[in-house]
Amino acid sequence: MTRRVQITKGILWFISGLAAAVTIVRFTRGLGTTTALSDTTPWGLWVGFDVMGGVALAAGGFVIGAIAHVFQRERYHHAVRPAILTALLGYAAVAVGLIYDLGLPWNIWHPLIFWNPHSPLFEVAWCVMTYLGILFLEFLPVFLERTRFQALYRTLLRLQLPLIILGISVSTLHQSSLGTLLLIMPFRLHPLWYTPHLPELFFVSAICLGLVMVIFESSVTAWLYEREPHTDMLAGLSRFAAGALAFYLAFRFFDLWHHGKLGLAFENTFEVRLFWFEIAISAVIPLVLFLIPRVRRSHTGVFIAAALGVMGFLLNRIDASGLAQVWATGADYFPEWTEFVVSFGIVSFFALIYLFIQEHFPVEKEIVDEEERWLQRQLFVLPRFDRGSQVWLGDATFASRRVYSALFVVALVVGLALTPWQPLVKASPVQRARGGEMLRVGYPLGTVMFPHGEHITRLGKEACGTCHHLHKPGDVGTPCSECHADLYLDTTIFDHVRHVAVLEGNASCAKCHPEGQPKVRATARKCSSCHEKDMMAANTVATRFESLAAPGLRRAAHGICIECHRREAANPEWKKPDLFRCATCHKTPVPHVQELRLLRAEGGETAPVAAGS
Ligand code: HEC
Ligand code: HEC
Ligand code: HEC
Ligand code: HEC
Ligand code: HEC
Ligand code: HEC
């Protein structure tokens, strides 16, 4: 075991310890406590990195399988076992990552029993399960090679080619289905990422990522175990990678051009900068590096190009499933540190398993052999009492395990101390409409353009109460969003402390809580009995005022607007039989980029109104 391996393992154990702490909080307190996700941004780092990225990272397994076995390139046989191992562990990591992300993780087995063949996710679930099984069978010979189950070992070796071919077909299916998932959100995914060819694009990029990942991993293990990298093989793989990357770039830009979206790539927005950054590090820079023969034969060169490629394509998955959707909702999302810790923790944990298998089973023969020699040598190392560490930690084989355990426990404790235990849930506050004839109602930037003036003209100056069923005391036409302050959640508008103060302190209790009865909500006086005059409008749809809380704005708006529109659609006077349909009010599913930019530039408009103010 080299010093490098020991230090790396120490770091990996530490991160795993932190992740273990967050895991405890995640599964006892829920997603709201450990993530920055919200109703508007339900997909974040975990879906992007752990699931979408994880599946694509594992693509190396089938790509190398295809190159070595189907196209019969002997030179790449070395790479097959590590690539299959990565794929196996990668998929296991995806399954683990998914459990963190699911709201009801204990239902993860449902696709097995409750079939929904129309859903791309259903297909992904089945493919991932099947492929995990296939990968296990592909890898089993490595476990069996040095045991006495030789008959089984030889049978499995004979089955290898059919298994690999089966694996390739299953991978092709679900790598592209992950792209299919995003096809249902043409208005949410930024046009630079959205294309009807997402499935094909995902497949091609998975091949690219698989190749650069195999190169990356092969050079990292060579560095860790201080052995000669397989320069020939790496150079060959780099050539394949260059081909795949060139194809990917051509595909992506041709697609943009074909759909007339190339112009979008030259605007000056965050998304465009993100797009170019992603394209540069995922494909352009690695492609240029791989094309230079000197780089292909240099260990560092290949490593840098591959590392950039891996980061770039992971970013692509994170963009597609999160960052490139934020523009549509306008909601700011940045992962909490706990999200990073879990993502890196899962990777660390599986990297440790990877190293363990490398050191104990013949994945790459040099590594196990070297490891066994190292263990042998330890037997002959005489105890030395000169160093404190040896007295406390014992000989080298035990010392490292003790250090790792200590690091893990320390990280666990630190993690438990730092992880928040209270929900971080952020409400989705609504935007207050401003100004004149036409009001922009809703959140984030107002998706409904509401002709306020026209409605008043039609209904008459006295009819404000048709919609404004409640005001703040002393006000008229209090904007709905003052009380219906969240799009979906109920927000309370009752301030107990303030009422006690206004109603003269201790004497006030009896005005709301009848003598001799418990002072609770159920027995308290109705709001309307005091507020009928100063808050409630006379002729309104929402005639009750008993509740402390105003329902979410969507329910409030629909409650008033749609009812009347349904009635008026039948009115021949307007000639608008479609008046009650969604698109009458929701004209643009999301505000246009141009509008978003203008609004952001205006500044004040985007400041949300504090709940209950
Ligand atoms: C058809 C329903 C409807 C009618 C009728 C109506 N309003 Fe409104 N009004 C609204 C909605 C919806 C908003 C936007 C509230 C928000 O953004 O939360 C609004 C907003 C307002 C605002 C705040 C505007 C701003 O720029 O902040 C005022 C003031 C107002 N209405 C006054 C009135 C008055 C006075 C009348 C009667 C003459 C009236 N409204 C009639 C639905 C109506
Ligand atoms: C008469 C106008 C009107 C009609 C018709 C209407 N809505 Fe709305 N809707 C609104 C208003 C106003 C809001 C609150 C403002 C906002 O957030 O956009 C809203 C909010 C929403 C929201 C929450 C806002 C968001 O961006 O998540 C959803 C979802 C929604 N509507 C869906 C629908 C669907 C589906 C239909 C058709 C069945 C429909 N609406 C029909 C006026 C309407
Ligand atoms: C002063 C605060 C306040 C304002 C302003 C206000 N509401 Fe409400 N709204 C409430 C409360 C509180 C309730 C719950 C009443 C109850 O059930 O006792 C409610 C209930 C409703 C309901 C019934 C919802 C349901 O499903 O129970 C609708 C519809 C509604 N509001 C629409 C509006 C619209 C549209 C506006 C703006 C034009 C508006 N409200 C302005 C406080 C307010
Ligand atoms: C304007 C009416 C009003 C006045 C005045 C008032 N209360 Fe209340 N009180 C309520 C309502 C409504 C609730 C239910 C609040 C809730 O469920 O959040 C409540 C709840 C309570 C509760 C139960 C809190 C809980 O968590 O369940 C206590 C105790 C209480 N009030 C005591 C008092 C005392 C003591 C006074 C006098 C100093 C007082 N209230 C004055 C309306 C009033
Ligand atoms: C005993 C009579 C009484 C009852 C019952 C009562 N209120 Fe009030 N409320 C008042 C008075 C008085 C004020 C102060 C009015 C003013 O500022 O002009 C007030 C003010 C308010 C305000 C305005 C606060 C602000 O920030 O301006 C709101 C909102 C409100 N009440 C909601 C409620 C709700 C919701 C209930 C039912 C749970 C309720 N009230 C029950 C007497 C009452
Ligand atoms: C009391 C009945 C009534 C209510 C309440 C009402 N509307 Fe309307 N609205 C109408 C009628 C009638 C028309 C058609 C007028 C016309 O075409 O001249 C209309 C037209 C519209 C239009 C323009 C449609 C078009 O095709 O040009 C929009 C947008 C709209 N309403 C949104 C809303 C929203 C949002 C709300 C709730 C805040 C709302 N309306 C509440 C009666 C109502």
Side-chain angles (χ1 to χ4, degrees):
M1 189 163 7
T2 66
R3 194 89 197 130
R4 286 174 187 171
V5 178
Q6 282 174 328
I7 294 177
T8 311
K9 282 189 183 167
I11 297 173
L12 295 178
W13 275 111
F14 189 80
I15 302 177
S16 306
L18 282 180
V22 178
T23 304
I24 294 176
V25 183
R26 154 69 187 88
F27 287 106
T28 51
R29 312 290 298 199
L31 286 169
T33 318
T34 38
T35 68
L37 299 175
S38 64
D39 287 349
T40 8
T41 319
W43 282 10
L45 186 69
W46 290 350
V47 171
F49 178 79
D50 302 5
V51 179
M52 297 278 205
V55 169
L57 270 181
F62 84 86
V63 178
I64 297 297
I67 296 180
H69 287 279
V70 182
F71 302 116
Q72 300 285 344
R73 299 289 164 90
E74 282 300 323
R75 193 170 2 144
Y76 303 109
H77 273 249
H78 293 299
V80 173
R81 282 183 168 184
I84 292 181
L85 177 59
T86 318
L88 179 62
L89 295 178
Y91 275 90
V94 167
V96 172
L98 202 56
I99 290 180
Y100 280 83
D101 210 46
L102 291 177
L104 308 173
W106 48 89
N107 286 347
I108 193 170
W109 53 273
H110 274 197
L112 279 174
I113 312 283
F114 305 108
W115 285 29
N116 175 7
H118 301 291
S119 147
L121 257 188
F122 173 74
E123 188 203 322
V124 173
W126 268 91
C127 283
V128 168
M129 284 186 291
T130 328
Y131 192 41
L132 208 56
I134 297 175
L135 281 169
F136 181 72
L137 289 180
E138 279 182 38
F139 195 71
L140 200 54
V142 179
F143 290 131
L144 295 177
E145 187 173 317
R146 296 187 180 180
T147 59
R148 55 201 172 76
F149 304 103
Q150 287 301 311
L152 182 59
Y153 169 67
R154 277 191 300 275
T155 322
L156 281 171
L157 275 193
R158 240 170 287 132
L159 279 178
Q160 192 136 45
L161 190 59
L163 278 177
I164 283 181
I165 292 175
L166 197 60
I168 295 173
S169 17
V170 176
S171 306
T172 312
L173 276 174
H174 70 259
Q175 292 288 357
S176 53
S177 303
L178 282 176
T180 316
L181 269 188
L182 302 174
L183 283 183
I184 58 168
M185 35 179 99
F187 300 112
R188 209 176 149 120
L189 190 56
H190 191 277
L192 285 175
W193 280 268
Y194 183 83
T195 148
H197 298 294
L198 270 171
E200 295 86 348
L201 203 58
F202 260 55
F203 179 62
V204 175
S205 52
I207 292 182
C208 297
L209 180 53
L211 277 168
V212 286
M213 182 63 192
V214 172
I215 300 176
F216 173 75
E217 184 195 292
S218 177
S219 27
V220 171
T221 13
W223 177 82
L224 270 182
Y225 292 97
E226 291 173 13
R227 60 167 175 70
E228 274 305 300
H230 303 283
T231 318
D232 257 0
M233 184 191 81
L234 288 182
L237 283 177
S238 308
R239 245 191 325 260
F240 276 111
L245 289 174
F247 183 74
Y248 169 74
L249 276 178
F251 188 171
R252 197 144 176 204
F253 280 94
F254 174 78
D255 180 77
L256 283 178
W257 170 79
H258 184 66
H259 290 103
K261 292 195 284 200
L262 210 48
L264 278 181
F266 300 99
E267 294 193 344
N268 179 21
T269 59
F270 167 74
E271 289 74 22
V272 171
R273 288 190 287 273
L274 184 67
F275 170 78
W276 283 112
F277 179 68
E278 180 203 303
I279 290 282
I281 66 168
S282 63
V284 177
I285 303 177
L287 175 61
V288 172
L289 288 175
F290 283 141
L291 283 178
I292 306 172
R294 209 151 42 87
V295 174
R296 282 206 300 269
R297 308 210 66 87
S298 130
H299 186 196
T300 337
V302 167
F303 169 77
I304 292 177
L308 279 178
V310 169
M311 283 190 287
F313 282 107
L314 280 178
L315 181 65
N316 169 262
R317 293 306 195 255
I318 296 177
D319 287 347
S321 56
L323 282 180
Q325 297 178 11
V326 166
W327 74 290
T329 57
D332 283 327
Y333 163 79
F334 192 80
E336 284 296 319
W337 67 269
T338 40
E339 284 171 78
F340 284 109
V341 162
V342 166
S343 291
F344 293 139
I346 296 176
V347 173
S348 302
F349 180 68
F350 280 91
L352 283 169
I353 301 183
Y354 179 86
L355 295 179
F356 176 84
I357 296 181
Q358 279 274 18
E359 285 166 12
H360 294 84
F361 297 94
V363 181
E364 289 178 66
K365 301 224 166 46
E366 307 93 333
I367 295 180
V368 243
D369 294 345
E370 173 56 32
E371 191 61 22
E372 271 163 15
R373 256 176 296 175
W374 182 81
L375 275 176
Q376 290 288 324
R377 272 203 309 279
Q378 299 310 314
L379 293 180
F380 302 102
V381 174
L382 290 177
R384 288 195 314 244
F385 294 103
D386 51 350
R387 297 221 322 268
S389 64
Q390 241 142 4
V391 175
W392 295 105
L393 296 171
D395 68 49
T397 36
F398 286 106
S400 41
R401 281 181 221 166
R402 287 182 188 153
V403 173
Y404 301 149
S405 315
L407 282 172
F408 183 83
V409 174
V410 169
L412 183 71
V413 174
V414 171
L416 283 177
L418 290 182
T419 314
W421 287 79
Q422 293 308 318
L424 306 164
V425 175
K426 291 170 193 69
S428 36
V430 295
Q431 179 72 26
R432 181 179 162 168
R434 292 263 165 75
E437 288 286 287
M438 186 67 92
L439 298 182
R440 186 187 278 272
V441 189
Y443 174 80
L445 293 158
T447 50
V448 174
M449 297 306 286
F450 170 53
H452 192 235
E454 265 177 40
H455 280 78
I456 295 180
T457 320
R458 205 168 27 246
L459 293 166
K461 285 262 178 259
E462 303 305 310
C464 315
T466 318
C467 304
H468 295 279
H469 69 111
L470 277 184
H471 316 285
K472 289 281 177 76
D475 193 10
V476 277
T478 309
C480 326
S481 48
E482 293 265 312
C483 300
H484 302 278
D486 189 276
L487 253 192
Y488 299 101
L489 307 177
D490 293 0
T491 26
T492 176
I493 61 164
F494 178 66
D495 185 340
H496 197 269
V497 174
R498 196 190 139 92
H499 276 84
V500 171
V502 177
L503 295 167
E504 280 144 28
N506 287 345
S508 72
C509 315
K511 291 189 183 152
C512 294
H513 297 293
E515 292 294 346
Q517 290 193 29
K519 292 186 175 52
V520 289
R521 166 89 199 101
T523 57
R525 210 164 138 193
K526 279 188 187 164
C527 319
S528 50
S529 65
C530 287
H531 285 301
E532 197 172 13
K533 294 257 147 46
D534 66 344
M535 286 182 75
M536 291 178 72
N539 48 346
T540 128
V541 185
T543 44
R544 289 185 318 137
F545 182 24
E546 297 158 17
S547 167
L548 309 178
L553 183 69
R554 182 184 56 95
R555 207 170 114 195
H558 283 182
I560 298 252
C561 312
I562 297 184
E563 282 318 308
C564 176
H565 274 215
R566 201 184 294 281
R567 255 182 288 118
E568 295 295 329
N571 187 340
E573 193 182 333
W574 318 117
K575 300 196 188 67
K576 284 192 175 158
D578 283 345
L579 201 59
F580 64 92
R581 296 207 185 275
C582 316
T584 305
C585 304
H586 298 285
K587 281 217 169 60
T588 42
V590 289
H592 191 266
V593 194
Q594 196 68 31
E595 262 174 62
L596 272 171
R597 203 180 309 138
L598 280 175
L599 275 163
R600 286 205 177 122
E602 279 169 27
E605 181 112 3
T606 61
V609 173
S613 66

